[in-house]
Amino acid sequence: MLKFVKQNLENIDGVSIYPIVSLLIFFLFFIGLFLWVLTAKKEHIKEVSNIPLEDQLKSDQP
């Protein structure tokens, strides 16, 4: 099946740009995510990391 898809894609002009663009988008997304994690405020990280614990504590109380 892959042979048929590959054969059809080889006949399209300019199709080789799509894998390059998708790889570029992939890396830009994760580089942006990495930079956001490095620059995130510690208070925000602590607040978000305690959300599941706060919900569990509220449900355990009578």
Side-chain angles (χ1 to χ4, degrees):
M1 170 128 176
L2 186 60
K3 181 171 53 171
F4 298 117
V5 173
K6 185 178 177 184
Q7 208 170 34
N8 287 333
L9 288 176
E10 287 176 351
N11 295 332
I12 300 172
D13 291 331
V15 77
S16 62
I17 193 73
Y18 291 112
I20 296 168
V21 169
S22 63
L23 186 66
L24 184 64
I25 291 171
F26 176 81
F27 276 111
L28 288 176
F29 174 77
F30 281 104
I31 287 171
L33 188 64
F34 181 72
L35 291 174
W36 178 79
V37 167
L38 287 179
T39 60
K41 294 181 180 180
K42 301 276 186 196
E43 298 88 30
H44 177 70
I45 301 292
K46 283 185 179 182
E47 180 182 339
V48 171
S49 66
N50 286 330
I51 289 174
L53 297 176
E54 290 172 0
D55 288 344
Q56 186 178 13
L57 289 175
K58 288 179 185 176
S59 65
D60 288 342
Q61 293 176 354

